[in-house]
Amino acid sequence: MIGIVVLEILSINSNNKKQIVFLLFQIAFINLSIICSQYLIFPNILGIDPWSHQLFTWNIIKNGFIPSGYNYSNLPLMHIEIASTSMVTGLDYKLSAILSITFNQVICSILFVFLAGKYLFKTKVGLFASLLLAFGNYFINMGLIIIPNSIAAVFILIIIYLFVTIRKNNFLIGTFLIILFMISLIFTHTISAMAMAIILFVMFIGAHFYKKFINKNVFIPMTFNLVAFFSVAMFSWWIYVTGHINTLADIIKVGFSPDFFIHAPKEISMYVTTVPLIEQVLNQIGTFLFFSLSLIGCLYMISRKYGNISTYVFALVGITPLVIGFFSLIIGTYVIPDRWWYFSQILLTIPLAVSVILVYNKIHNRFVKPVFLVFLIIGLSSILIISPAADITNHSLFPNIGIRTTKTESEITSAAFFVEKSTEKLSSDYDYFTNPSGSLLKNYFNVKPNKIKSLDTVLLSGKFDINGTIIVIREEIINKPFRLFGQPFKLNYNPSQKLEEQGFSKIYDCNSVLGFYRININTPGI
């Protein structure tokens, strides 16, 4: 499908609006087919954090107002959208989320990337940029795990587009729309709002640098007043309403240490070093090529010969989240890099499209040119689409790092069985039972925390010295990687066999979930 669209873009009449609309529809369909083909084969939502967002949205619908005491009580925009869609259409949370968030994320991102690419260069650059975005692995990932960050990044793209294009020609309308989307962004997600604040300062400084040292006669759509307005509004909301300024202060105090976000033993943190090199390369090569090739386009866009103030600013904007994401890892800090790579893939698709076209134009043989471009984009898209970030259903190529971050019908049914039948405490791996964000028991069956216990520590040691607790083992964690202490890990033993060797009796077995219990820890074999 991607190869066919590449040939269509090469042969399109740039003045034919119907052809352009049809191509944009095809591009959006490619991305949505990748997302929906995975999203709809599972009985419930995908990912870890979406379970807590589902619970919060259910409470909004149930109460008729935004309940207090939740992490997103003061950042409720996404949840209100999903709740409204569910109430109007009668659909459940899962379908309401994909209809109101994923569809908007995909369609708006592809549309505004096209519009920005067309404005900065020409129609074909915009179309190629949209196509390249459609198979970005982190862009696909954020469409699968529907969280506020998924839709908030779209607001960033729209605000940048309005600054670069609309505000120059329609000052009042452009300013009004910019302020509207700024407020919407602040009400949606903290990391995205912080990214927007940084990007605004980069745009402001970059535009004035361009005017002072490159071309003094250009118009600068960026004003310090709007940059200051957004920053003051964001920090005011964090200080006086959400309290996130205290979290930011704590993160700064510890120097953005990974320990603030990740609480895992050393064995877990070092697991990635044991993964075969070929698997690590295959996992990262697509992302590396995506960003590396886009840097060629960035250099083209900031050059004196080919660039202008708009391309200059847009290139700086695209590089900014990429630098934050990658250099934080190099210097040993942690800023949740996958979120910043998601921003980068959206903002760097135009430079990437420029790079692809530059390479295409360097080939003089008119028969080789389209064949080369088709195979280049098909190859890049294939590597990105099969990566664990974009494909959560098939990890045959990633047996040591591919993790299924969703629950099957059998796992959900088994959890319901234990909740209904058990009078003892329940213990299982963190994501299945005890994760505050993604636990089935906490966020789906509303089980009290004192009845459940994390099994992560004993899973790591292999010593199940637990008495009077039902131990639940998912088949998914046997000989497969899963999230232990919130990080990827693969056990070097079979926990089912260990439990039986240590005197536990199997009391439940549905192939996907096993239950074990031992009455007295001192009388093995019972």
Side-chain angles (χ1 to χ4, degrees), residues 34-48:
I34 296 170
I35 292 174
C36 292
S37 61
Q38 300 180 72
Y39 195 82
L40 298 178
I41 64 174
F42 290 98
N44 215 299
I45 50 180
L46 278 61
I48 305 301

Side-chain angles (χ1 to χ4, degrees), residues 207-476:
H208 281 80
F209 180 89
Y210 186 92
K211 183 171 184 176
K212 185 173 183 179
F213 295 102
I214 300 177
N215 187 347
K216 297 182 179 180
N217 300 318
V218 297
F219 170 78
I220 298 179
M222 293 289 301
T223 62
F224 181 75
N225 290 339
L226 275 176
V227 177
F229 165 79
F230 180 82
S231 301
V232 170
M234 179 186 72
F235 282 113
S236 298
W237 192 253
W238 291 2
I239 293 170
Y240 298 109
V241 182
T242 66
H244 285 125
I245 194 68
N246 297 325
T247 304
L248 179 62
D250 292 338
I251 295 173
I252 294 173
K253 190 181 297 182
V254 299
F256 290 91
S257 170
D259 295 334
F260 186 88
F261 301 92
I262 303 171
H263 306 282
K266 187 176 180 180
E267 303 96 304
I268 305 294
S269 303
M270 296 301 294
Y271 170 73
V272 67
T273 61
T274 67
V275 177
L277 180 62
I278 184 65
E279 191 172 339
Q280 295 189 50
V281 170
L282 189 60
N283 178 35
Q284 300 294 343
I285 188 66
T287 305
F288 178 79
L289 287 174
F290 189 104
F291 292 139
S292 298
L293 289 173
S294 67
L295 294 179
I296 299 173
C298 288
L299 293 174
Y300 180 91
M301 293 169 69
I302 65 175
S303 65
R304 288 175 177 265
K305 183 176 181 180
Y306 301 106
N308 54 50
I309 186 170
S310 296
T311 60
Y312 183 89
V313 168
F314 213 97
L316 292 179
V317 164
I319 292 174
T320 299
L322 179 63
V323 169
I324 293 172
F326 273 108
F327 278 88
S328 66
L329 298 180
I330 294 173
I331 62 178
T333 58
Y334 189 81
V335 292
I336 316 181
D338 55 310
R339 306 292 176 90
W340 295 91
W341 296 335
Y342 170 52
F343 301 143
S344 299
Q345 282 196 333
I346 294 176
L347 299 175
L348 284 176
T349 47
I350 293 175
L352 180 58
V354 172
S355 302
V356 168
I357 292 175
L358 287 174
V359 174
Y360 171 80
N361 289 335
K362 287 294 182 180
I363 301 173
H364 299 293
N365 189 309
R366 64 189 184 93
F367 297 106
V368 175
K369 289 174 71 171
V371 175
F372 170 80
L373 189 61
V374 167
F375 278 94
L376 172 65
I377 294 182
I378 286 179
L380 179 60
S381 65
S382 299
I383 297 172
L384 287 166
I385 290 171
I386 66 172
S387 69
D391 185 357
I392 66 166
T393 60
N394 185 354
H395 297 141
S396 56
L397 295 176
F398 304 95
N400 297 290
I401 55 177
I403 298 174
R404 172 166 63 80
T405 55
T406 188
K407 313 299 187 298
T408 63
E409 182 70 38
S410 179
E411 289 171 344
I412 295 173
T413 303
S414 298
F417 172 83
F418 285 111
V419 169
E420 180 182 352
K421 303 295 184 181
S422 173
T423 57
E424 302 282 355
K425 285 188 176 182
L426 299 169
S427 186
S428 186
D429 64 275
Y430 186 65
D431 280 350
Y432 191 37
F433 275 7
T434 53
N435 189 336
S437 297
S439 165
L440 268 175
L441 267 61
K442 284 186 176 181
N443 296 320
Y444 196 74
F445 295 109
N446 198 27
V447 176
K448 294 181 179 180
N450 60 3
K451 191 179 178 179
I452 52 182
K453 181 179 180 181
S454 175
L455 199 63
D456 283 14
T457 302
V458 293
L459 280 173
L460 182 61
S461 66
K463 298 177 181 179
F464 296 89
D465 49 351
I466 301 175
N467 190 29
T469 300
I470 295 177
I471 296 178
V472 181
I473 301 295
R474 290 188 296 154
E475 185 70 26
E476 187 65 22

Side-chain angles (χ1 to χ4, degrees), residues 39 46-48 50 140-147 150 338 392 405:
Y39 195 82
L46 278 61
I48 305 301
I140 294 170
N141 180 263
M142 283 295 166
L144 287 167
I145 54 168
I146 302 173
I147 56 177
S150 303
D338 55 310
I392 66 166
T405 55

